[in-house]
PDB file of all heavy atoms in Angstrom:
ATOM      1  N   PRO A   2      31.588 -31.890  -1.956  1.00 73.00           N
ATOM      2  CA  PRO A   2      31.968 -33.280  -1.654  1.00 73.00           C
ATOM      3  C   PRO A   2      32.521 -33.389  -0.238  1.00 73.00           C
ATOM      4  O   PRO A   2      33.155 -32.458   0.267  1.00 73.00           O
ATOM      5  CB  PRO A   2      33.042 -33.596  -2.701  1.00 73.00           C
ATOM      6  CG  PRO A   2      33.566 -32.253  -3.122  1.00 73.00           C
ATOM      7  CD  PRO A   2      32.410 -31.303  -3.016  1.00 73.00           C
ATOM      8  N   ARG A   3      32.253 -34.507   0.385  1.00 67.00           N
ATOM      9  CA  ARG A   3      32.755 -34.732   1.734  1.00 67.00           C
ATOM     10  C   ARG A   3      34.287 -34.733   1.717  1.00 67.00           C
ATOM     11  O   ARG A   3      34.897 -35.271   0.794  1.00 67.00           O
ATOM     12  CB  ARG A   3      32.260 -36.082   2.262  1.00 67.00           C
ATOM     13  CG  ARG A   3      30.777 -36.117   2.546  1.00 67.00           C
ATOM     14  CD  ARG A   3      30.457 -35.382   3.828  1.00 67.00           C
ATOM     15  NE  ARG A   3      29.035 -35.456   4.153  1.00 67.00           N
ATOM     16  CZ  ARG A   3      28.501 -34.894   5.216  1.00 67.00           C
ATOM     17  NH1 ARG A   3      29.262 -34.212   6.045  1.00 67.00           N
ATOM     18  NH2 ARG A   3      27.207 -35.001   5.447  1.00 67.00           N
ATOM     19  N   PRO A   4      34.916 -34.120   2.713  1.00 63.00           N
ATOM     20  CA  PRO A   4      36.381 -34.148   2.753  1.00 63.00           C
ATOM     21  C   PRO A   4      36.887 -35.575   2.915  1.00 63.00           C
ATOM     22  O   PRO A   4      36.271 -36.403   3.576  1.00 63.00           O
ATOM     23  CB  PRO A   4      36.719 -33.286   3.988  1.00 63.00           C
ATOM     24  CG  PRO A   4      35.472 -33.295   4.819  1.00 63.00           C
ATOM     25  CD  PRO A   4      34.341 -33.398   3.861  1.00 63.00           C
ATOM     26  N   GLU A   5      38.017 -35.856   2.268  1.00 71.00           N
ATOM     27  CA  GLU A   5      38.582 -37.200   2.346  1.00 71.00           C
ATOM     28  C   GLU A   5      39.029 -37.534   3.760  1.00 71.00           C
ATOM     29  O   GLU A   5      39.010 -38.688   4.165  1.00 71.00           O
ATOM     30  CB  GLU A   5      39.759 -37.316   1.373  1.00 71.00           C
ATOM     31  CG  GLU A   5      39.349 -37.200  -0.100  1.00 71.00           C
ATOM     32  CD  GLU A   5      40.535 -37.372  -1.021  1.00 71.00           C
ATOM     33  OE1 GLU A   5      41.647 -37.614  -0.515  1.00 71.00           O
ATOM     34  OE2 GLU A   5      40.346 -37.270  -2.249  1.00 71.00           O
ATOM     35  N   ASP A   6      39.433 -36.522   4.515  1.00 76.00           N
ATOM     36  CA  ASP A   6      39.878 -36.739   5.890  1.00 76.00           C
ATOM     37  C   ASP A   6      38.713 -36.480   6.840  1.00 76.00           C
ATOM     38  O   ASP A   6      38.307 -35.334   7.030  1.00 76.00           O
ATOM     39  CB  ASP A   6      41.035 -35.786   6.211  1.00 76.00           C
ATOM     40  CG  ASP A   6      41.626 -36.044   7.593  1.00 76.00           C
ATOM     41  OD1 ASP A   6      41.104 -36.920   8.309  1.00 76.00           O
ATOM     42  OD2 ASP A   6      42.611 -35.366   7.944  1.00 76.00           O
ATOM     43  N   PRO A   7      38.127 -37.524   7.442  1.00 82.00           N
ATOM     44  CA  PRO A   7      37.006 -37.306   8.367  1.00 82.00           C
ATOM     45  C   PRO A   7      37.398 -36.527   9.622  1.00 82.00           C
ATOM     46  O   PRO A   7      36.531 -36.070  10.359  1.00 82.00           O
ATOM     47  CB  PRO A   7      36.574 -38.743   8.736  1.00 82.00           C
ATOM     48  CG  PRO A   7      37.113 -39.603   7.653  1.00 82.00           C
ATOM     49  CD  PRO A   7      38.382 -38.961   7.242  1.00 82.00           C
ATOM     50  N   GLY A   8      38.704 -36.378   9.872  1.00 84.00           N
ATOM     51  CA  GLY A   8      39.143 -35.622  11.034  1.00 84.00           C
ATOM     52  C   GLY A   8      39.085 -34.121  10.838  1.00 84.00           C
ATOM     53  O   GLY A   8      39.351 -33.363  11.781  1.00 84.00           O
ATOM     54  N   VAL A   9      38.716 -33.667   9.642  1.00 87.00           N
ATOM     55  CA  VAL A   9      38.596 -32.227   9.369  1.00 87.00           C
ATOM     56  C   VAL A   9      37.223 -31.746   9.826  1.00 87.00           C
ATOM     57  O   VAL A   9      36.198 -32.307   9.417  1.00 87.00           O
ATOM     58  CB  VAL A   9      38.787 -31.939   7.865  1.00 87.00           C
ATOM     59  CG1 VAL A   9      38.552 -30.471   7.569  1.00 87.00           C
ATOM     60  CG2 VAL A   9      40.168 -32.369   7.420  1.00 87.00           C
ATOM     61  N   PRO A  10      37.141 -30.716  10.667  1.00 88.00           N
ATOM     62  CA  PRO A  10      35.830 -30.222  11.132  1.00 88.00           C
ATOM     63  C   PRO A  10      34.987 -29.693   9.969  1.00 88.00           C
ATOM     64  O   PRO A  10      35.514 -29.106   9.021  1.00 88.00           O
ATOM     65  CB  PRO A  10      36.201 -29.088  12.103  1.00 88.00           C
ATOM     66  CG  PRO A  10      37.616 -29.328  12.468  1.00 88.00           C
ATOM     67  CD  PRO A  10      38.258 -29.993  11.295  1.00 88.00           C
ATOM     68  N   GLN A  11      33.684 -29.893  10.064  1.00 82.00           N
ATOM     69  CA  GLN A  11      32.774 -29.438   9.019  1.00 82.00           C
ATOM     70  C   GLN A  11      31.845 -28.308   9.477  1.00 82.00           C
ATOM     71  O   GLN A  11      31.299 -27.587   8.651  1.00 82.00           O
ATOM     72  CB  GLN A  11      31.921 -30.618   8.532  1.00 82.00           C
ATOM     73  CG  GLN A  11      32.718 -31.737   7.886  1.00 82.00           C
ATOM     74  CD  GLN A  11      31.825 -32.873   7.411  1.00 82.00           C
ATOM     75  OE1 GLN A  11      30.610 -32.741   7.326  1.00 82.00           O
ATOM     76  NE2 GLN A  11      32.432 -34.016   7.106  1.00 82.00           N
ATOM     77  N   TYR A  12      31.662 -28.156  10.775  1.00 81.00           N
ATOM     78  CA  TYR A  12      30.648 -27.214  11.269  1.00 81.00           C
ATOM     79  C   TYR A  12      31.196 -26.111  12.162  1.00 81.00           C
ATOM     80  O   TYR A  12      30.429 -25.277  12.637  1.00 81.00           O
ATOM     81  CB  TYR A  12      29.577 -27.993  12.050  1.00 81.00           C
ATOM     82  CG  TYR A  12      28.943 -29.102  11.268  1.00 81.00           C
ATOM     83  CD1 TYR A  12      29.217 -30.434  11.557  1.00 81.00           C
ATOM     84  CD2 TYR A  12      28.082 -28.824  10.207  1.00 81.00           C
ATOM     85  CE1 TYR A  12      28.645 -31.461  10.827  1.00 81.00           C
ATOM     86  CE2 TYR A  12      27.509 -29.848   9.462  1.00 81.00           C
ATOM     87  CZ  TYR A  12      27.787 -31.163   9.786  1.00 81.00           C
ATOM     88  OH  TYR A  12      27.231 -32.173   9.051  1.00 81.00           O
ATOM     89  N   LEU A  13      32.490 -26.079  12.399  1.00 85.00           N
ATOM     90  CA  LEU A  13      33.062 -25.091  13.326  1.00 85.00           C
ATOM     91  C   LEU A  13      33.330 -23.787  12.582  1.00 85.00           C
ATOM     92  O   LEU A  13      34.462 -23.454  12.229  1.00 85.00           O
ATOM     93  CB  LEU A  13      34.342 -25.633  13.964  1.00 85.00           C
ATOM     94  CG  LEU A  13      34.181 -26.940  14.739  1.00 85.00           C
ATOM     95  CD1 LEU A  13      35.499 -27.338  15.389  1.00 85.00           C
ATOM     96  CD2 LEU A  13      33.085 -26.827  15.796  1.00 85.00           C
ATOM     97  N   ASP A  14      32.272 -23.022  12.362  1.00 75.00           N
ATOM     98  CA  ASP A  14      32.345 -21.766  11.617  1.00 75.00           C
ATOM     99  C   ASP A  14      32.925 -20.679  12.518  1.00 75.00           C
ATOM    100  O   ASP A  14      32.344 -20.316  13.539  1.00 75.00           O
ATOM    101  CB  ASP A  14      30.939 -21.381  11.141  1.00 75.00           C
ATOM    102  CG  ASP A  14      30.938 -20.128  10.289  1.00 75.00           C
ATOM    103  OD1 ASP A  14      32.025 -19.617   9.983  1.00 75.00           O
ATOM    104  OD2 ASP A  14      29.839 -19.653   9.938  1.00 75.00           O
ATOM    105  N   GLU A  15      34.087 -20.139  12.137  1.00 76.00           N
ATOM    106  CA  GLU A  15      34.730 -19.098  12.942  1.00 76.00           C
ATOM    107  C   GLU A  15      33.878 -17.829  12.997  1.00 76.00           C
ATOM    108  O   GLU A  15      33.908 -17.097  13.987  1.00 76.00           O
ATOM    109  CB  GLU A  15      36.108 -18.756  12.353  1.00 76.00           C
ATOM    110  CG  GLU A  15      37.088 -19.906  12.352  1.00 76.00           C
ATOM    111  CD  GLU A  15      37.526 -20.312  13.757  1.00 76.00           C
ATOM    112  OE1 GLU A  15      37.494 -19.440  14.648  1.00 76.00           O
ATOM    113  OE2 GLU A  15      37.871 -21.491  13.951  1.00 76.00           O
ATOM    114  N   GLY A  16      33.126 -17.568  11.937  1.00 67.00           N
ATOM    115  CA  GLY A  16      32.299 -16.366  11.922  1.00 67.00           C
ATOM    116  C   GLY A  16      31.172 -16.388  12.940  1.00 67.00           C
ATOM    117  O   GLY A  16      30.591 -15.356  13.256  1.00 67.00           O
ATOM    118  N   ALA A  17      30.852 -17.582  13.477  1.00 71.00           N
ATOM    119  CA  ALA A  17      29.751 -17.688  14.441  1.00 71.00           C
ATOM    120  C   ALA A  17      30.204 -17.455  15.870  1.00 71.00           C
ATOM    121  O   ALA A  17      29.374 -17.463  16.782  1.00 71.00           O
ATOM    122  CB  ALA A  17      29.109 -19.079  14.330  1.00 71.00           C
ATOM    123  N   LEU A  18      31.494 -17.233  16.098  1.00 76.00           N
ATOM    124  CA  LEU A  18      31.989 -17.085  17.464  1.00 76.00           C
ATOM    125  C   LEU A  18      31.441 -15.841  18.150  1.00 76.00           C
ATOM    126  O   LEU A  18      31.449 -15.752  19.374  1.00 76.00           O
ATOM    127  CB  LEU A  18      33.529 -17.048  17.462  1.00 76.00           C
ATOM    128  CG  LEU A  18      34.216 -18.388  17.161  1.00 76.00           C
ATOM    129  CD1 LEU A  18      35.710 -18.196  16.980  1.00 76.00           C
ATOM    130  CD2 LEU A  18      33.932 -19.383  18.271  1.00 76.00           C
ATOM    131  N   GLU A  19      30.980 -14.855  17.365  1.00 69.00           N
ATOM    132  CA  GLU A  19      30.408 -13.654  17.966  1.00 69.00           C
ATOM    133  C   GLU A  19      29.043 -13.921  18.575  1.00 69.00           C
ATOM    134  O   GLU A  19      28.547 -13.117  19.362  1.00 69.00           O
ATOM    135  CB  GLU A  19      30.312 -12.534  16.924  1.00 69.00           C
ATOM    136  CG  GLU A  19      31.676 -12.055  16.423  1.00 69.00           C
ATOM    137  CD  GLU A  19      31.554 -10.906  15.452  1.00 69.00           C
ATOM    138  OE1 GLU A  19      30.411 -10.461  15.213  1.00 69.00           O
ATOM    139  OE2 GLU A  19      32.581 -10.466  14.918  1.00 69.00           O
ATOM    140  N   SER A  20      28.416 -15.000  18.187  1.00 71.00           N
ATOM    141  CA  SER A  20      27.111 -15.372  18.723  1.00 71.00           C
ATOM    142  C   SER A  20      27.256 -16.699  19.454  1.00 71.00           C
ATOM    143  O   SER A  20      27.403 -17.748  18.839  1.00 71.00           O
ATOM    144  CB  SER A  20      26.077 -15.502  17.591  1.00 71.00           C
ATOM    145  OG  SER A  20      24.839 -15.924  18.084  1.00 71.00           O
ATOM    146  N   ALA A  21      27.225 -16.637  20.793  1.00 76.00           N
ATOM    147  CA  ALA A  21      27.548 -17.813  21.602  1.00 76.00           C
ATOM    148  C   ALA A  21      26.623 -18.987  21.312  1.00 76.00           C
ATOM    149  O   ALA A  21      27.071 -20.126  21.181  1.00 76.00           O
ATOM    150  CB  ALA A  21      27.495 -17.453  23.091  1.00 76.00           C
ATOM    151  N   ASN A  22      25.311 -18.721  21.214  1.00 74.00           N
ATOM    152  CA  ASN A  22      24.375 -19.832  21.033  1.00 74.00           C
ATOM    153  C   ASN A  22      24.569 -20.505  19.681  1.00 74.00           C
ATOM    154  O   ASN A  22      24.432 -21.727  19.560  1.00 74.00           O
ATOM    155  CB  ASN A  22      22.936 -19.355  21.204  1.00 74.00           C
ATOM    156  CG  ASN A  22      22.586 -18.235  20.258  1.00 74.00           C
ATOM    157  OD1 ASN A  22      22.054 -18.445  19.190  1.00 74.00           O
ATOM    158  ND2 ASN A  22      22.901 -16.999  20.643  1.00 74.00           N
ATOM    159  N   VAL A  23      24.927 -19.731  18.649  1.00 75.00           N
ATOM    160  CA  VAL A  23      25.194 -20.319  17.339  1.00 75.00           C
ATOM    161  C   VAL A  23      26.479 -21.138  17.386  1.00 75.00           C
ATOM    162  O   VAL A  23      26.543 -22.263  16.869  1.00 75.00           O
ATOM    163  CB  VAL A  23      25.294 -19.218  16.261  1.00 75.00           C
ATOM    164  CG1 VAL A  23      25.639 -19.830  14.909  1.00 75.00           C
ATOM    165  CG2 VAL A  23      23.990 -18.446  16.165  1.00 75.00           C
ATOM    166  N   ALA A  24      27.522 -20.591  18.020  1.00 82.00           N
ATOM    167  CA  ALA A  24      28.791 -21.305  18.114  1.00 82.00           C
ATOM    168  C   ALA A  24      28.634 -22.611  18.890  1.00 82.00           C
ATOM    169  O   ALA A  24      29.214 -23.639  18.523  1.00 82.00           O
ATOM    170  CB  ALA A  24      29.838 -20.412  18.781  1.00 82.00           C
ATOM    171  N   LEU A  25      27.844 -22.589  19.960  1.00 85.00           N
ATOM    172  CA  LEU A  25      27.627 -23.808  20.745  1.00 85.00           C
ATOM    173  C   LEU A  25      26.856 -24.843  19.934  1.00 85.00           C
ATOM    174  O   LEU A  25      27.108 -26.048  20.050  1.00 85.00           O
ATOM    175  CB  LEU A  25      26.887 -23.474  22.036  1.00 85.00           C
ATOM    176  CG  LEU A  25      27.692 -22.663  23.060  1.00 85.00           C
ATOM    177  CD1 LEU A  25      26.805 -22.250  24.228  1.00 85.00           C
ATOM    178  CD2 LEU A  25      28.880 -23.460  23.566  1.00 85.00           C
ATOM    179  N   ALA A  26      25.904 -24.390  19.132  1.00 82.00           N
ATOM    180  CA  ALA A  26      25.185 -25.328  18.261  1.00 82.00           C
ATOM    181  C   ALA A  26      26.140 -25.955  17.246  1.00 82.00           C
ATOM    182  O   ALA A  26      26.053 -27.152  16.948  1.00 82.00           O
ATOM    183  CB  ALA A  26      24.043 -24.613  17.540  1.00 82.00           C
ATOM    184  N   ASN A  27      27.079 -25.155  16.725  1.00 85.00           N
ATOM    185  CA  ASN A  27      28.077 -25.698  15.803  1.00 85.00           C
ATOM    186  C   ASN A  27      28.944 -26.747  16.491  1.00 85.00           C
ATOM    187  O   ASN A  27      29.222 -27.818  15.928  1.00 85.00           O
ATOM    188  CB  ASN A  27      28.970 -24.565  15.287  1.00 85.00           C
ATOM    189  CG  ASN A  27      28.223 -23.590  14.403  1.00 85.00           C
ATOM    190  OD1 ASN A  27      27.124 -23.881  13.948  1.00 85.00           O
ATOM    191  ND2 ASN A  27      28.816 -22.449  14.164  1.00 85.00           N
ATOM    192  N   ALA A  28      29.397 -26.429  17.713  1.00 90.00           N
ATOM    193  CA  ALA A  28      30.248 -27.371  18.448  1.00 90.00           C
ATOM    194  C   ALA A  28      29.493 -28.660  18.765  1.00 90.00           C
ATOM    195  O   ALA A  28      30.062 -29.758  18.701  1.00 90.00           O
ATOM    196  CB  ALA A  28      30.760 -26.712  19.728  1.00 90.00           C
TER     197      ALA A  28
END
């Protein structure tokens, strides 16, 4: 379910920070 607070990030996966192109796509 969608979070009640729209200010909560949905795509900023911390595990993707090791791969720059994936992290940038998330951002």
Side-chain angles (χ1 to χ4, degrees):
R3 290 284 183 180
E5 294 182 2
D6 185 357
V9 175
Q11 297 181 14
Y12 305 108
L13 302 183
D14 183 5
E15 298 292 333
L18 288 172
E19 295 183 2
S20 177
N22 57 94
V23 177
L25 291 173
N27 293 345

